[in-house]
Amino acid sequence: MLLSLVSLSACNSPSLQGMFDPVAPQIAAGPPEATLDPTPAPPPPAAARTAEEFDTTTEADRAAAVAAPVGGQQLGTTIASLGSPTEPGIWLRTGLVTELVQGRVEFQGVSVNVELRPSGGPASAGSQISLAAMRLLGAPLTGLPELVVYR
């Protein structure tokens, strides 16, 4: 009980205050992710708070993603969680690939062309999917959809 109180009191510490603030940025910006897109979507604005503000893909990007499917070789299935909303684009980071390639994912009958990015993990590990891809698939942003992945 005492340990719980000490732990909770630490939440008021000035050094920990931004850590639990849902509005504070939780992910440090690093170098841009490698991409196959010659004109990648820009990062979201620092003041972004909604899914619409974080999704900086263009109408043309979204139209290309839902156009005729790219990729025909099924690589497997994966459970995906929402990746960092600060990483723009339409992508899936997965252990099902070892190099950056074009592919597609399917969820409940909806197919979206995505960039397949290697996660460095085993093929049996879960994956992360971009906010834009989740929205195009109609998958719940807080869910863990099971995706069929094609190269």
Side-chain angles (χ1 to χ4, degrees):
M1 177 80 153
L2 181 59
L3 183 57
S4 297
L5 291 174
V6 171
S7 297
L8 288 175
S9 68
C11 291
N12 291 326
S13 165
S15 64
L16 298 177
Q17 279 180 350
M19 217 170 140
F20 301 103
D21 181 357
V23 180
Q26 299 295 313
I27 300 168
E33 181 82 30
T35 181
L36 297 171
D37 190 346
T39 57
R49 296 290 179 259
T50 66
E52 289 77 22
E53 293 170 336
F54 276 103
D55 184 355
T56 60
T57 56
T58 64
E59 189 61 42
D61 293 332
R62 293 186 290 276
V66 296
V70 172
Q73 176 190 3
Q74 184 175 334
L75 300 177
T77 60
T78 188
I79 302 296
S81 63
L82 179 62
S84 172
T86 63
E87 290 184 48
I90 301 170
W91 49 265
L92 176 74
R93 185 173 292 112
T94 180
L96 293 170
V97 296
T98 57
E99 63 184 354
L100 184 64
V101 294
Q102 272 306 124
R104 69 182 165 96
V105 293
E106 287 182 354
F107 173 69
Q108 296 183 348
V110 178
S111 182
V112 173
N113 296 319
V114 297
E115 199 171 81
L116 298 175
R117 298 177 176 177
S119 68
S124 60
S127 300
Q128 291 184 332
I129 189 166
S130 71
L131 173 66
M134 285 276 269
R135 294 178 72 200
L136 289 169
L137 287 169
L141 298 180
T142 57
L144 296 171
E146 182 174 13
L147 307 175
V148 181
V149 182
Y150 297 86
R151 180 180 174 138

